[in-house]
Amino acid sequence: MKSPKSAALPEPVPRRVGLISLGCAKNLVDAEIMLGSLLRSGAQIVNDPTQADAVIVNTCSFIDAAQEESVDTIFESTAFREQTRPGQAVIVSGCMPQRFREELPKLMPEVDVFMGIDQVEQVGQLVEQAITARAAKLTAPEAPAGKRRSALKAKLAELDAAKGHRHDHEESLRGSAKFGRTKQVIALQAEPPATQVTVRPNYIPHHDTPRFRLTPKHFAYVKIAEGCNHPCSFCIIPRMRGSHRSRQQSDIVAEAKALLKDGVKELNLISQDSTYYGLDLRPNHSRAISSPEKFTAATKTLAADATTLGTLLRELNGLKGDFWIRLLYTHPAHWTDELIATIAECRKVARYVDMPLQHIHDDLLARMRRETSGQYIRDLIGRIRAGIPGIALRTTFIVGFPGETEEHFGTLLDFIRETRFERLGVFAYSQEDGTIAGKMANQLTPKQRQKRRERAMAAQHEVAVGVAESFVGRTLKVLVEGAATAKQIEAARVSSWEHGLLRGADRSGAKLGTRKYLVARGEADAPDIDGRVYIRGDLPVGKFAKVKVIGHTDYDLIAEPA
């Protein structure tokens, strides 16, 4: 007698997850890893939040404005959920949970799970945890979020101020057995959310880490290191991202090969401090080599086969194919003659240097704890420009820093006019609780800071117009991005939490008219943060092309196929 055929079980419905990523390119890579990990776990990625079982908000906490945007986005997500999909889980990841890992679960009960940088590859498990937590919450109504948003922003600032700065404390741990140790903080309430955020993150991606790229097919960000060892008085990044930790060179090269095989034409190398790359991989390394003198001395003791940024660039340059290698986030204290020579000799390395300087006056550099002097910076710029003909320098400055006098600021304005940076952004100083600078005397008012930013941008505007004009008549190699949108042509504004506002109100729309254009980038233009080349004519998208510059706007170039 035949046994009855068992009924077929229904296929499990995949979890549908949406993601909102805020902040810098490094945060974007974390978002890409989360999406790749979700896909590997069987989840489905959706763009429509009304269809999502869970929404992840990947936050930035770099400065007050970025943190406010993160708080607003979280509350907008939870409010949208209440109106459209009450069972939807909301997960908060990124820098804000790292900064407030113990406090956020109590302050934001609307969120179902908080996760840190070390948990990006475990996101699939955390989504399940968040959905379960959300289902339990549906029986207990939450307080309205609208009245709490402003109070929460103020509370976060209060909490950070109470913690005080940690730079000196952290430096005292360097070299000791305690440095780098982390503990797991699990803060469960009677009702979730839960937080699983390590005190000092140590995660670093690997070439086979699952990743779903959010950039166009023709360019990608490659994270070569994570964390930072610098004691800058205005910055909270080491507290959120941990100490500098480099990836193995062979691992980066393996990722680069896979990206090039996938059609990538531009590898953008990113980290918090790209010029420190490899120095932590040497035996018995010490982290206390941030100054130019100590860094140079350390590089002179390296073995012949030691890994450095120079060795990485040379190996990447030797890979087959026609592509650019773009170097972002370099620190002026860590440039060497060997690095300058390497860039000059490697033709696939874009003639472009991203080097935030923050100020030029010695008094302000000392107060910022930048470990460089004004004369050192001037000499370094001279060495770079002499050693790498055609290099485009881009930098950022902070104005309105505590104690900055009109004389200090005047020195900076003179430096901007004299040096003629091809690309430049300006921050109005943001008083960050939990930093040394946040507690300094002689804080300028927000109005004073903003006014100085406007004056600095006006000085750079004059430089930028002259730089753009110098390109007219030249033939350039560009990477074609796609059709220029009306919004791009009309607005032509670029901003970034890490790079400041890079341009004022441009008159691109008026100068370009109503014709159709392609938008492209030259070697001097990093994705999202620099200028553009608007092309009259048809060229393949995602490919390199030669164009002749026939005009310019305040910040951008106008060209036609050569």
Side-chain angles (χ1 to χ4, degrees):
M1 183 176 179
K2 293 183 180 179
S3 60
K5 187 179 292 185
S6 59
L9 295 175
E11 289 290 327
V13 178
R15 297 297 193 188
R16 292 167 296 182
V17 184
L19 185 144
I20 303 168
S21 189
L22 306 170
C24 66
K26 296 179 286 292
N27 225 28
L28 182 69
V29 171
D30 291 344
E32 293 176 337
I33 291 172
M34 282 191 279
L35 291 177
S37 300
L38 285 166
L39 289 170
R40 178 176 286 186
S41 70
Q44 178 183 348
I45 308 302
V46 296
N47 291 324
D48 183 358
T50 64
Q51 302 300 313
D53 299 312
V55 170
I56 302 169
V57 181
N58 194 31
T59 60
C60 179
S61 194
F62 181 55
I63 58 176
D64 279 346
Q67 186 162 286
E68 288 181 9
E69 182 187 40
S70 293
V71 170
D72 288 341
T73 303
I74 294 167
F75 275 119
E76 287 164 6
S77 298
T78 56
F80 181 83
R81 169 184 67 189
E82 297 306 317
Q83 297 170 6
T84 61
R85 196 179 176 93
Q88 183 181 82
V90 173
I91 300 160
V92 173
S93 64
C95 290
M96 210 164 83
Q98 286 291 159
R99 188 171 180 177
F100 304 104
R101 62 187 178 276
E102 294 175 340
E103 298 88 355
L104 281 185
K106 302 169 187 175
L107 293 171
M108 304 185 81
E110 298 87 352
V111 176
D112 301 296
V113 162
F114 292 94
M115 57 180 286
I117 293 164
D118 285 346
Q119 288 77 46
V120 291
E121 290 191 47
Q122 286 78 51
V123 65
Q125 303 165 27
L126 294 174
V127 164
E128 292 299 324
Q129 181 180 339
I131 291 173
T132 301
R134 182 60 191 165
K137 282 183 179 180
L138 289 178
T139 59
E142 298 165 345
K147 296 181 180 179
R148 299 177 46 245
R149 189 179 306 191
S150 298
L152 175 59
K153 294 176 184 177
K155 183 63 177 177
L156 291 179
E158 179 185 330
L159 287 168
D160 228 349
K163 291 180 181 180
H165 70 78
R166 301 185 181 183
H167 291 292
D168 294 328
H169 173 63
E170 287 176 353
E171 286 182 341
S172 69
L173 294 178
R174 291 177 181 172
S176 72
K178 292 182 179 180
F179 189 86
R181 287 185 183 174
T182 61
K183 64 179 180 180
Q184 193 80 358
V185 178
I186 307 293
L188 286 172
Q189 302 181 50
E191 295 180 0
T195 178
Q196 299 182 7
V197 183
T198 47
V199 176
R200 289 186 68 86
N202 54 30
Y203 175 78
I204 192 75
H206 192 261
H207 77 272
D208 59 0
T209 297
R211 182 177 173 189
F212 180 82
R213 287 201 291 120
L214 297 170
T215 53
K217 187 177 179 63
H218 55 273
F219 78 84
Y221 293 105
V222 178
K223 189 179 285 191
I224 65 173
E226 181 63 274
C228 183
N229 293 342
H230 281 282
C232 300
S233 63
F234 53 84
C235 186
I236 201 166
I237 286 177
R239 199 171 104 190
M240 295 187 295
R241 290 279 174 173
S243 303
H244 181 99
R245 47 202 186 275
S246 300
R247 290 174 62 184
Q248 293 293 328
Q249 180 168 315
S250 59
D251 190 65
I252 297 171
V253 173
E255 180 182 358
K257 287 179 178 178
L259 290 169
L260 295 174
K261 185 178 180 180
D262 195 38
V264 166
K265 295 294 183 182
E266 180 181 30
L267 302 172
N268 294 276
L269 308 187
I270 59 173
S271 69
Q272 272 73 34
D273 179 4
S274 295
T275 32
Y276 195 90
Y277 173 75
L279 268 291
D280 59 313
L281 299 178
R282 69 195 192 283
N284 303 315
H285 74 280
S286 166
R287 295 179 175 89
I289 58 168
S290 296
S291 69
E293 297 77 17
K294 292 180 179 178
F295 185 83
T296 300
T299 60
K300 290 181 178 178
T301 64
L302 293 174
D305 60 348
T307 297
T308 65
L309 182 58
T311 65
L312 174 62
L313 292 177
R314 289 181 187 277
E315 186 169 1
L316 291 175
N317 186 77
L319 298 179
K320 295 180 180 179
D322 184 17
F323 60 93
W324 281 338
I325 304 162
R326 188 178 299 279
L327 185 58
L328 300 170
Y329 309 104
T330 72
H331 194 290
H334 299 162
W335 275 80
T336 63
D337 291 337
E338 188 266 342
L339 177 58
I340 293 173
T342 296
I343 296 174
E345 294 167 15
C346 295
R347 291 308 307 169
K348 293 177 183 177
V349 178
R351 278 10 190 189
Y352 174 97
V353 165
D354 171 33
M355 183 172 63
L357 297 174
Q358 313 305 5
H359 215 281
I360 191 60
H361 197 285
D362 285 343
D363 292 349
L364 270 294
L365 290 169
R367 290 175 69 82
M368 292 178 176
R369 298 179 68 171
R370 289 291 289 171
E371 303 178 299
T372 53
S373 68
Q375 190 58 52
Y376 170 86
I377 290 171
R378 289 182 171 91
D379 292 344
L380 175 60
I381 291 172
R383 286 163 50 207
I384 291 174
R385 282 183 163 164
I388 314 171
I391 193 76
L393 293 179
R394 65 128 25 257
T395 193
T396 51
F397 292 115
I398 297 174
V399 298
F401 194 81
E404 183 188 55
T405 65
E406 187 63 35
E407 178 187 352
H408 296 148
F409 180 64
T411 301
L412 177 60
L413 289 181
D414 290 342
F415 180 64
I416 290 172
R417 296 186 182 105
E418 294 164 3
T419 310
R420 298 184 64 79
F421 291 95
E422 286 77 10
R423 303 287 183 263
L424 184 146
V426 181
F427 276 117
Y429 168 71
S430 176
Q431 186 176 1
E432 294 300 307
D433 294 309
T435 63
I436 295 172
K439 295 180 178 296
M440 286 181 176
N442 301 318
Q443 298 279 339
L444 278 68
T445 67
K447 185 176 180 180
Q448 289 174 314
R449 302 173 204 165
Q450 183 62 23
K451 186 64 177 177
R452 286 187 179 174
R453 195 201 73 81
E454 292 170 0
R455 290 169 61 190
M457 286 306 304
Q460 176 59 19
H461 178 267
E462 297 176 9
V463 174
V465 172
V467 169
E469 186 176 358
S470 71
F471 278 87
V472 176
R474 293 170 56 182
T475 298
L476 302 179
K477 179 181 180 179
V478 299
L479 183 55
V480 181
E481 302 268 40
T485 65
K487 184 178 180 181
Q488 282 178 310
I489 294 175
E490 180 181 1
R493 292 173 65 87
V494 179
S495 63
S496 162
W497 295 131
E498 290 192 304
H499 293 90
L501 185 62
L502 303 183
R503 55 177 79 204
D506 200 347
R507 297 185 293 275
S508 293
K511 292 186 179 182
L512 292 171
T514 59
R515 295 182 59 174
K516 292 183 178 180
Y517 291 87
L518 293 171
V519 64
R521 291 183 291 106
E523 282 190 80
D525 305 313
D528 300 325
I529 59 174
D530 288 321
R532 304 174 184 89
V533 182
Y534 292 99
I535 305 168
R536 298 174 180 172
D538 293 324
L539 290 168
V541 173
K543 305 292 184 182
F544 289 116
K546 290 290 184 69
V547 299
K548 183 176 181 181
V549 180
I550 59 175
H552 67 91
T553 69
D554 290 351
Y555 296 92
D556 302 314
L557 303 178
I558 306 170
E560 60 186 13

